[in-house]
């Protein structure tokens, strides 16, 4: 069942404001929980948010610490994929390697540009033969902390995600066999794979391509944002305006979906819990996660995106149709929370969101191994 906690926030908050939070109101909420209309994590968040209303949130920092976590300063490791230096170096080369694409003109960095917040600044990315993808490219920064990868969650982890675009006809347009043949035809890569996977007889294979890229991507994190320093106890890390935005972000219910270490990325949600957005933001032909699960409850359901570095990753939404962060916040207010935010409230929340921009990865562009006469040539 899709969590729809946010849909009940406005009415419950209205009850609080009018001092009408009666036994009946609580019983209604309780039976929705029992009936399965609310998942346990969302119900927990809901109870916390309601309690925060009662307490008046005397200590905003304590509230924030209960909902969010700071990004660690060191790169994250992947289960079963030790971040050995040789594997990381190979993964970095492959991330920037355009010869993994059929026409030798697209790399992972083409759509997930490290210097642009891990995205590409387009509504939808341009792939093989100038084809356009169906969805906005999510940021690769901090993606290791997401519950799954892609907007519909079809990849369980970074390794599975890394293997997808290479063989996507609208992406890099090649095949596993051709990608492997390409790298085996470059002596420098044969040597690099041998160092990264020393225990394997034939280390240049498609599974290892994805594993190496995933190991590198797991290091692309952005710690030390003002919000991270605040969560660690530095109450001066946020301005008074940013604290006002944080309080609104929590009290309005934004944090019921955008929480955890990534301020999002940890659950799926219907786009239009309370009110469907216009088709300019929700293209009717893209039905979201239902295409993965085949469950009707997942129609127009998408992974909640991380808000880390969101000030750097316009345009917004899976459709990439909003270029204005203020507009995106206002749309989320009406569609997900059923509330028309005042312009000054939107401004305060956006001011807080800018405090989520962390230290960007400092990546030295790798020198890629040269092709030789026997290396497969690019296809038209």
């Amino acid at each position: 069942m899709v969590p729809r906690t946010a849909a009940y926030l406005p009415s419950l908050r209205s009850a609080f404001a009018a001092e009408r939070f009666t036994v009946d109101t609580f019983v209604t909420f309780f039976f929705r929980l029992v009936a399965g209309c609310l998942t346990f994590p969302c119900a927990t968040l809901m109870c916390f948010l309601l309690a925060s209303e009662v307490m008046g949130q005397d200590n905003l920092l304590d509230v924030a610490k209960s909902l969010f976590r700071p990004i660690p300063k060191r790169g994250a490791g992947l289960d079963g994929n030790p971040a050995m230096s040789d594997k990381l170096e190979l993964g970095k080369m492959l991330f920037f390697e355009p010869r993994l694409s059929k026409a030798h003109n697209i790399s992972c960095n083409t759509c997930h540009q490290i210097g642009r917040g891990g995205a590409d600044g387009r509504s939808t990315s341009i792939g093989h033969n100038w084809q356009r993808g169906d969805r906005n490219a999510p940021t690769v920064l901090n993606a290791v902390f997401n519950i799954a990868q892609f907007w519909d969650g079809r990849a369980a982890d970074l390794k599975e995600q890394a293997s997808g675009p290479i063989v996507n006809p609208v992406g890099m347009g090649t095949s596993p066999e051709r990608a492997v043949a390409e790298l085996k035809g470059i002596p420098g890569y044969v040597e690099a794979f041998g160092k990264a996977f020393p225990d394997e007889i034939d280390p240049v294979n498609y599974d290892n391509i994805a594993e190496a890229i995933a190991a590198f991507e797991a290091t692309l994190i952005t710690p030390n944002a003002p919000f991270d320093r605040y969560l660690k106890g530095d109450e001066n890390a946020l301005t008074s305006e940013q604290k006002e935005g944080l309080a609104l972000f929590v009290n309005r219910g934004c944090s019921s979906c955008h929480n955890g270490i990534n301020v999002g990325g940890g659950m799926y949600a219907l786009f239009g819990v309370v009110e469907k957005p216009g088709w300019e933001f929700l293209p009717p032909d893209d039905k979201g996660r239902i295409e993965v699960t085949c469950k009707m409850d997942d129609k127009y359901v998408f992974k909640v995106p991380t808000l880390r570095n969101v000030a750097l990753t316009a345009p917004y939404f899976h459709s990439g149709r909003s270029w204005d962060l203020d507009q995106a916040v206002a749309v989320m207010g009406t569609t997900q929370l059923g509330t028309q935010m005042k312009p000054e409230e939107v401004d305060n929340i956006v001011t807080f969101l800018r405090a989520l921009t962390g230290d960007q990865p400092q990546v030295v562009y790798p020198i890629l191994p040269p092709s030789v006469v026997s290396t497969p040539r690019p296809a038209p």
Side-chain angles (χ1 to χ4, degrees):
M1 178 68 68
V2 179
R4 307 190 193 281
T5 308
Y8 311 122
L9 281 170
S11 59
L12 286 170
R13 286 206 169 90
S14 297
F16 270 118
E19 299 181 351
R20 290 185 290 101
F21 189 68
T22 63
V23 172
D24 289 341
T25 310
F26 183 81
V27 168
T28 298
F29 167 72
F30 176 80
F31 278 104
R32 283 191 179 278
L33 171 60
V34 173
C37 295
L38 302 176
T39 63
F40 181 76
C42 282
T44 302
L45 276 170
M46 182 67 160
C47 290
F48 174 81
L49 289 171
L50 295 177
S52 72
E53 292 283 354
V54 173
M55 293 185 296
Q57 290 194 344
D58 292 331
N59 193 329
L60 182 62
L61 178 57
D62 286 343
V63 173
K65 284 181 176 180
S66 69
L67 290 170
F68 311 100
R69 287 188 294 129
I71 288 181
K73 289 192 174 182
R74 299 188 63 182
L78 295 177
D79 293 339
N81 189 355
M84 298 180 296
S85 58
D86 289 327
K87 186 181 292 184
L88 288 176
E89 189 60 31
L90 172 60
K92 181 168 71 171
M93 290 191 292
L94 294 174
F95 185 86
F96 288 96
E97 181 53 81
R99 287 169 294 185
L100 279 175
S101 67
K102 188 173 183 179
H104 290 193
N105 63 343
I106 300 172
S107 70
C108 301
N109 188 65
T110 302
C111 299
H112 302 284
Q113 298 171 31
I114 296 176
R116 301 191 68 184
D120 65 357
R122 296 178 179 274
S123 292
T124 57
S125 300
I126 296 175
H128 181 63
N129 279 340
W130 298 99
Q131 300 174 89
R132 279 197 170 274
D134 295 328
R135 293 173 182 158
N136 178 257
T139 177
V140 71
L141 304 185
N142 306 306
V144 67
F145 301 122
N146 289 336
I147 190 176
Q149 306 302 320
F150 296 113
W151 282 98
D152 55 16
R154 65 183 181 275
D157 53 30
L158 286 177
K159 181 178 177 180
E160 188 175 353
Q161 186 279 327
S163 67
I166 297 174
V167 299
N168 188 328
V170 185
M172 297 165 78
T174 191
S175 65
E177 295 76 20
R178 183 180 176 88
V180 169
E182 192 75 48
L183 298 180
K184 283 187 173 181
I186 302 173
Y189 273 122
V190 175
E191 180 182 355
F193 271 87
K195 290 180 179 179
F197 301 94
D199 299 329
E200 298 189 22
I201 297 174
D202 185 19
V204 186
N205 58 63
Y206 197 67
D207 189 69
N208 285 348
I209 292 173
E211 182 170 329
I213 293 174
F216 170 68
E217 289 181 341
T219 69
L220 300 177
I221 62 175
T222 61
N224 203 38
F227 188 50
D228 291 313
R229 300 196 299 273
Y230 179 73
L231 290 173
K232 291 179 180 180
D234 181 2
E235 296 205 41
N236 295 320
L238 296 184
T239 66
S240 58
E241 291 81 7
Q242 288 168 338
K243 290 177 182 176
E244 289 178 20
L246 170 59
L248 276 169
F249 189 84
V250 173
N251 286 331
R252 286 293 191 179
C254 307
S255 60
S256 61
C257 292
H258 292 282
N259 51 66
I261 189 170
N262 244 5
V263 195
M267 59 178 280
Y268 303 97
L270 176 70
F271 191 7
V273 172
V274 180
E275 177 183 320
K276 278 285 188 289
W279 292 128
E280 68 272 22
F281 301 123
L282 183 65
D285 293 337
D286 185 351
K287 294 180 171 56
R289 189 161 163 76
I290 189 175
E291 299 171 7
V292 177
T293 66
C294 298
K295 296 179 179 178
M296 286 304 298
D297 282 348
D298 286 335
K299 188 175 182 180
Y300 298 124
V301 167
F302 298 89
K303 185 184 70 181
V304 174
T306 172
L307 295 182
R308 292 283 184 176
N309 306 291
V310 69
L312 307 179
T313 58
Y316 305 110
F317 305 136
H318 70 285
S319 56
R321 298 290 182 86
S322 176
W323 291 84
D324 183 346
L325 187 52
D326 288 66
Q327 179 192 54
V329 169
V331 168
M332 293 301 287
T334 56
T335 62
Q336 305 304 101
L337 305 176
T339 182
Q340 188 77 38
M341 293 187 189
K342 299 176 182 178
E344 56 269 28
E345 292 178 321
V346 172
D347 288 343
N348 282 337
I349 289 178
V350 169
T351 299
F352 160 65
L353 294 180
R354 297 189 188 282
L356 299 179
T357 301
D359 293 344
Q360 301 300 290
Q362 300 299 300
V363 178
V364 177
Y365 196 100
I367 303 301
L368 304 179
S371 297
V372 297
V373 173
S374 59
T375 303
R377 298 290 182 260

